[in-house]
Every structure is written in C-alpha cells, then in structure tokens.
C-alpha cells in the first residue's frame, strides 16, 4: 500500500462519496416515488411508520415489500410470506453472480456490506458504471447505500400519510423505466448482446403471460444468456462477428 | 405499536432476501471461473435488463395480458431512440419522464 497523508485520504473519500451519491440520482428519484406510494399503502393497511421503516431496513426489496404488506393484511402466516419473498427475490442471485466478476479480491465484510444493497436498479446502474471504468467497489457501495437510505426515508415519509408528491407529477413514475431503457442500450455492446436481449425480452413477455409471479425474469434471462454462450461458441457466429 | 410476530416475519423476509444477494458475491468473486461461465455472466446484464423492462412496458393487469397501447410503451420508443442517439443516462431519464408526463396528460 502506498502511504497517504490524512488530507489526501480525506480528499479521496470525498471524491468517492460524491461520485456514488451523484451517480445514484436516477434511482433515488424512482425510489422516492415508489417509496412514498409504498408508505401510503402500508399506512392505510394499518402499519406504523416504525414498522414500515423496519421493513425497508431489514428487507429492502420493493416488490417483495408490496406483496408482504398485502399478504400480512390478508392474514397470511409467516411461512407463506417468507417463501413468497424468497421466490420473488431469487433473481438477485443472478445479479450478484454477474456483479461478482467486478468485485474481485475483496474481504467477506466488504462483500457482505455490498450484497445488502443489490437491487434491480443498483445492479443495472453499477454494471454499466463498472463496464465504463472509473468505477470501483467503494463508489458502488456508496451508490447502493444512498439508494437504500432514499428508500427507507421515502417509505417512512409515505407512512406518515403524506403523498407529498402528487401521483404522476413530472413523470416521476417513469424515472426507473427510462433508466432501465438507457442502461439496456449501454449493455448492447455488439450483435451478440442485441440478439440475447431480444430473446430475453420476447421470452420474458411470453412467460410473464403464462407464469404467475415474477419467475419469468430468471427463466428468460438464464435461457437467453445460455443460448448466447452457445451462439458465441459456435464457429459460424464467431466467423461473422469477426467480419463485421 | 408493532403487530404480533411482525419482527419475526420481516426478519424471515430479510434473511431470504439477503442470502441470494450475498452467496454468489462471496463464492464467485474469489474464484477463477471457467471461460464459458465468464461469457455467460457477461451476457446476464443485457438479458436481465431486457427481461425486466419488456413485460413492464407491454403487459398489464392481473392476470397479465398484452397491451401494446400503454403510454409506458409508446413513450419507451422515443426514449430508446434518445438513449441510442445521445448515450446519456441523465438526458434519457429526464427525456423519458417529460414524455411520460405529456403522455399521461394528453393520451
């Protein structure tokens, strides 16, 4: 390790925190809207701001929290709620696997701290930023925890009964969709990626009409990526790719 | 007040959410992976982003059905074009929000 004086180290951390927090803004905007909506729904279902905040802190998963609240108010027991949460959130396993390739040689403590903040949104954004370079696990960690704090604060604020932002204001409900669309474009780094994403998209739509829940995300992604690897390894495709 | 069992329920939810996030990071980040698996993981973001976004844009309801005329989808087309053209995340998010706001107002 190169020795650093404390001033340099502070400057370093300031830059890291700045990059992470600023990088997080599209997610924060989306979480603000969804978090407030979640808080309002949970409050109407009889949950207190403390209960809402605890759930956002301990679970930290948007769709699972919405479903958890509706199952709890329908009187469901702990086992079905936990099993449902598990199946909804299994998709994060794919995301963490993919992120692992950017998180080489870190201690278990740092990885554990990072793992807590892996969501659809932070995965999508961090993947693009890692790919872009100029990004590291510290910035990714700051980004994750910035979005996490925004989520907790927004859900609790909603839990006090305030919608604060009128529904549909400024198109804020579309922030995350627009972000996903753009991050998908960033991932299309060649013909193979375009083909894989088209296959994944078509499969996901078809499966979402056939299967209940969100298992279509994992099934469609795994099939599309697997086909992609076969395609990449087939000689004919490799040949055309080199020519183009 | 806190509902009976509420803490146990959210702890259970938290554990089953955290473990799938944690396991692959700890087990895969310190191994050298076979080439085909690296290639597979490299394709996962493109696949998963597509699988996340398309059903949100063109299906709706419970049970889900196809609906190609949702403002979400209509707005997605120029938003995608904007992203391809500018390659700007900030610009795309603001552009998409603006179009969606217009669409909600006038469609």
């Amino acid at each position: 390790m190169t020795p650093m004086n404390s001033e340099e180290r502070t400057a370093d951390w300031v830059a890291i925190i700045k990059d992470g927090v600023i990088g997080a803004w599209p997610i924060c905007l989306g979480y603000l809207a969804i978090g407030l909506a979640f808080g309002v729904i949970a409050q109407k279902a009889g949950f207190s701001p403390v209960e809402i905040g605890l759930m956002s802190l301990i679970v930290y998963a948007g769709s699972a929290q919405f479903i958890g609240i509706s199952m709890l108010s329908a009187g469901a027991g702990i086992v079905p709620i936990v099993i449902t949460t598990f199946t909804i959130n299994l998709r994060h396993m794919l995301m963490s696997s993919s992120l692992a390739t950017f998180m080489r040689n870190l201690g278990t403590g740092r990885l554990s701290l990072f793992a807590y903040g892996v969501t659809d949104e932070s995965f999508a954004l961090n993947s693009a930023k890692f790919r872009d370079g100029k990004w590291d696990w510290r910035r990714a960690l700051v980004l994750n925890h910035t979005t996490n704090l925004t989520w907790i604060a927004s859900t609790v604020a909603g839990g006090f009964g305030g919608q604060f932002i009128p529904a549909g204001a400024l198109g804020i409900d579309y922030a995350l969709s627009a972000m996903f669309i753009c991050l998908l474009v960033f991932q299309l780094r060649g013909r193979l990626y375009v083909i894989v994403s088209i296959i994944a998209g078509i499969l996901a739509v078809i499966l979402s009409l056939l299967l209940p829940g969100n298992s279509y995300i994992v099934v469609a992604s795994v099939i599309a990526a697997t086909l992609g690897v076969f395609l990449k390894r087939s000689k004919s495709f490799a040949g055309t790719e080199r020519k183009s | 007040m806190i509902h009976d069992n509420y803490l146990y329920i959210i702890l259970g939810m938290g554990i089953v959410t955290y473990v799938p996030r944690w396991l692959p990071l700890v087990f895969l980040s310190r191994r050298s992976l076979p080439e085909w698996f690296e290639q597979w993981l490299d394709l996962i973001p493109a696949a998963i982003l597509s699988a996340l976004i398309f059903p949100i844009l063109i299906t709706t309801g419970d049970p889900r059905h196809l609906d190609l005329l949702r403002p979400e989808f209509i707005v997605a087309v120029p938003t995608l074009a904007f992203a391809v053209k500018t390659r700007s995340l900030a610009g795309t998010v603001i552009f998409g929000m603006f179009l969606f706001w217009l669409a909600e107002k006038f469609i």
Side-chain angles (χ1 to χ4, degrees), chain A residues 81-95:
Chain A
I81 293 176
V82 170
I83 291 174
T84 307
T85 306
F86 178 68
T87 57
I88 293 173
N89 289 335
L90 251 185
R91 66 186 190 285
H92 295 135
M93 212 160 170
L94 273 183
M95 302 180 190

Side-chain angles (χ1 to χ4, degrees), chain A:
Chain A
M1 218 178 106
T2 47
M4 245 199 242
N5 67 40
S6 66
E7 232 170 274
E8 270 175 279
R9 206 169 293 188
T10 318
D12 204 32
W13 267 105
V14 169
I16 287 166
I17 291 173
K18 210 175 119 196
D19 286 353
V21 171
I22 292 175
W25 76 266
I27 301 180
C28 294
L29 210 55
Y31 281 8
L32 182 66
I34 303 171
L36 283 174
F38 172 77
V40 170
I41 289 171
Q43 186 250 349
K44 282 186 184 146
F47 294 87
S48 67
V50 174
E51 289 174 323
I52 294 168
L54 275 175
M55 187 191 256
S56 294
L57 176 71
I58 293 173
V59 186
Y60 186 38
S63 40
Q65 286 185 232
F66 274 100
I67 291 168
I69 287 289
S70 73
M71 287 182 81
L72 273 165
S73 19
I78 181 165
V79 175
I81 293 176
V82 170
I83 291 174
T84 307
T85 306
F86 178 68
T87 57
I88 293 173
N89 289 335
L90 251 185
R91 66 186 190 285
H92 295 135
M93 212 160 170
L94 273 183
M95 302 180 190
S96 284
S97 305
S98 171
L99 286 168
T101 58
F102 298 109
M103 309 282 287
R104 293 289 186 187
N105 307 316
L106 291 177
T108 307
R110 288 164 174 181
L111 289 171
S112 305
L113 215 55
F114 179 78
Y116 167 75
V118 175
T119 61
D120 299 354
E121 294 78 19
S122 73
F123 157 74
L125 197 48
N126 279 323
S127 298
K129 287 180 178 292
F130 273 124
R131 179 66 59 192
D132 209 27
K134 291 185 260 163
W135 204 245
D136 51 52
W137 70 271
R138 289 188 173 86
R139 288 173 168 80
L141 188 68
V142 172
L143 186 145
N144 281 8
H145 286 275
T146 305
T147 57
N148 176 239
L149 281 178
T150 308
W151 175 252
I152 295 171
S154 313
T155 55
V156 171
F160 280 105
Q163 187 55 56
F164 300 112
I165 308 177
L170 303 168
I172 195 172
D173 297 331
Y174 205 68
L176 293 181
S177 294
M179 181 186 84
F180 279 128
I181 290 169
C182 187
L183 295 176
L184 173 61
V185 169
F186 289 171
Q187 287 296 338
L188 304 179
R189 290 170 281 126
R191 215 157 62 96
L192 182 65
Y193 299 88
V194 175
I195 295 170
V196 166
S197 78
I198 291 172
I199 296 171
I202 293 173
L203 268 178
V205 170
I206 295 170
L207 291 171
S208 77
L209 300 173
L210 301 174
L211 306 173
N214 70 354
S215 51
Y216 64 87
I217 299 171
V218 173
V219 178
S221 316
V222 166
I223 294 175
T226 307
L227 287 174
V229 171
F230 279 114
L231 205 56
K232 185 169 185 155
R233 312 205 124 208
S234 74
K235 278 185 187 142
S236 56
F237 186 83
T240 53
E241 187 77 330
R242 231 172 281 128
K243 253 178 270 160
S244 58

Side-chain angles (χ1 to χ4, degrees), chain A residues 208-213 216, chain B residues 55-67 70 72:
Chain A
S208 77
L209 300 173
L210 301 174
L211 306 173
Y216 64 87
Chain B
I56 292 173
L57 297 177
I58 61 173
T59 71
T60 186
D62 185 23
R64 279 184 285 260
H65 59 271
L66 214 54
D67 179 1
R70 305 187 71 213
E72 281 84 350

Side-chain angles (χ1 to χ4, degrees), chain B residues 22-86:
Chain B
W22 179 82
L23 264 182
L25 276 168
V26 171
F27 277 86
L28 298 181
S29 68
R30 292 177 212 153
R31 282 191 173 74
S32 68
L33 306 169
E35 199 195 340
W36 64 267
F37 192 53
E38 293 261 9
Q39 290 172 347
W40 190 79
L41 290 176
D42 181 50
L43 291 170
I44 283 293
I48 220 168
L49 279 170
S50 207
L52 278 172
I53 190 74
F54 278 98
I56 292 173
L57 297 177
I58 61 173
T59 71
T60 186
D62 185 23
R64 279 184 285 260
H65 59 271
L66 214 54
D67 179 1
L68 293 174
L69 291 175
R70 305 187 71 213
E72 281 84 350
F73 181 57
I74 295 168
V75 167
V77 178
T79 304
L80 182 83
F82 188 92
V84 171
K85 191 110 186 105
T86 64

